[in-house]
Amino acid sequence: MKFRGKIIDIACLNHFTRVITTISKLTKMCVLRLTPDNLFFVLSGKVANGGVSMWCELSQANFFDEYQMEGVSSEDNEICLEVTPENLSRALKTVQSAKSVKVKLTKKHCPCLTIAAELPTLSSVSRVVTHDVPVDVIPRRLWHEFKEPSMPDFDVSIYLPPLKIMKNVVDRMKNLSNFLVIEANLNGEMNLKIETDLVSVTTHFKDLGNPPWGDDASQGGGPSQSRDPEAMAEAKVDIRKLQQFLMGQQVNPSKAMCNIVHQRVVHLILLHEDVSLQYFIPAVA
């Protein structure tokens, strides 16, 4: 098993750091899957993390100037590592002005992702700063737990309002309730609602638009055309999990979407050129 990559472009380094920082806000631990073409950050929906799951996909060619990896075997040309994204984010944040950054899988006192940055210097002597981020190698027999989640057979798919506005709304609602109902329809309308014994608050968004797959019949995983465009699909979720997702956003997505499986799951998708992030929040009864 071997992995080494090198980032020279400072814009790529900054972008890569923002992605890792976003992930670190969503989970304390996750799995990094390395393949010849992609890097995946995966959190599988275990009860231990409240059933939340995450799938973040990056194309290595859009970040790394050099990228070499040899997997477990020629048939299984992958490497799976358990990482603490916060540690990775901290290491990368300290080397933002570097001339180049190398990331390498090494064996120190334990397996590590070693980040070695060549810093700018006024003299001819190069300065290299090294960070060792401990990782755990995940055995082949457990890889099946970290495959891409299938697209749920959703009832409604809708574009999200600007994430900053949505975050401000959710932050205020969190002071009033632990749970929030997200509801949306195929008419581009979305509501965020909380209801307690003392208060009922609803924020309405309209003209958001619905992603094109919503126009297909349901064989594509999308809602069928027979669904009443005004009919709301809803899911009640833990407001902290939604807030966590909105707080961590540093990716500045070009598209942000929400799929709702009525009373079962909220599936959030962020797309930005070379990065896609999916986040699944289970509904509560």
Side-chain angles (χ1 to χ4, degrees):
M1 269 194 324
K2 292 178 183 174
F3 165 67
R4 67 181 297 278
K6 186 176 183 180
I7 302 175
I8 298 171
D9 188 300
I10 197 156
C12 291
L13 176 61
N14 293 343
H15 188 23
F16 187 62
T17 304
R18 282 197 300 274
V19 173
I20 306 292
T21 303
T22 292
I23 291 164
S24 73
K25 297 283 200 305
L26 296 177
T27 178
K28 288 188 172 68
M29 299 288 287
C30 70
V31 169
L32 169 59
R33 247 183 86 198
L34 300 165
T35 69
D37 298 318
N38 295 300
L39 295 88
F40 304 94
F41 291 89
V42 189
L43 178 68
S44 60
K46 303 264 177 58
V47 176
N49 54 42
V52 167
S53 54
M54 174 194 75
W55 177 269
C56 182
E57 183 172 334
L58 289 73
S59 170
Q60 61 87 356
N62 290 324
F63 292 91
F64 289 88
D65 295 274
E66 297 173 20
Y67 184 94
Q68 296 170 315
M69 62 89 52
E70 289 177 23
V72 174
S73 66
S74 53
E75 298 84 41
D76 299 313
N77 195 16
E78 290 185 20
I79 300 172
C80 278
L81 308 169
E82 188 171 54
V83 299
T84 305
E86 173 68 19
N87 292 345
L88 211 49
S89 169
R90 275 191 201 141
L92 288 166
K93 280 179 180 174
T94 63
V95 297
Q96 290 298 287
S97 61
K99 284 158 65 176
S100 69
V101 173
K102 292 177 183 172
V103 185
K104 189 176 180 183
L105 182 61
T106 56
K107 178 84 168 147
K108 304 283 176 97
H109 54 284
C110 67
C112 290
L113 277 176
T114 295
I115 295 167
E118 186 185 346
L119 300 180
T121 176
L122 296 173
S123 69
S124 58
V125 181
S126 66
R127 288 192 304 150
V128 177
V129 172
T130 303
H131 295 270
D132 291 323
V133 179
V135 297
D136 285 323
V137 177
I138 292 177
R140 174 75 187 83
R141 67 178 185 278
L142 299 178
W143 284 8
H144 67 276
E145 294 181 21
F146 307 108
K147 297 298 181 190
E148 182 171 9
S150 56
M151 175 79 80
D153 194 9
F154 50 82
D155 296 292
V156 165
S157 181
I158 192 166
Y159 289 115
L160 288 172
L163 296 182
K164 278 189 177 172
I165 294 174
M166 194 171 167
K167 177 183 177 298
N168 290 341
V169 170
V170 172
D171 284 349
R172 291 191 180 125
M173 287 182 163
K174 182 175 172 283
N175 296 326
L176 301 171
S177 175
N178 292 327
F179 300 100
L180 172 144
V181 173
I182 300 180
E183 63 175 18
N185 63 18
L186 296 176
N187 236 4
E189 297 170 329
M190 180 181 192
N191 301 324
L192 302 178
K193 303 195 301 187
I194 55 167
E195 288 184 19
T196 69
D197 295 340
L198 298 173
V199 66
S200 174
V201 179
T202 305
T203 299
H204 304 274
F205 297 96
K206 59 183 184 179
D207 301 325
L208 296 175
N210 301 92
W213 58 44
D215 298 336
D216 301 334
S218 57
Q219 79 267 12
S224 65
Q225 288 177 317
S226 59
R227 185 179 175 85
D228 178 2
E230 299 285 334
M232 289 286 183
E234 66 170 47
K236 184 179 183 181
V237 297
D238 183 333
I239 201 165
R240 290 166 305 174
K241 295 191 172 80
L242 180 60
Q243 187 189 35
Q244 198 174 21
F245 172 79
L246 295 167
M247 272 172 61
Q249 289 327 309
Q250 301 191 6
V251 178
N252 299 328
S254 51
K255 283 184 182 169
M257 295 171 272
C258 172
N259 299 331
I260 300 174
V261 183
H262 186 61
Q263 295 183 346
R264 285 191 49 212
V265 72
V266 173
H267 174 210
L268 299 158
I269 308 169
L270 303 183
L271 300 176
H272 178 93
E273 296 167 11
D274 40 25
V275 180
S276 72
L277 174 65
Q278 300 181 59
Y279 193 66
F280 297 80
I281 306 176
V284 294

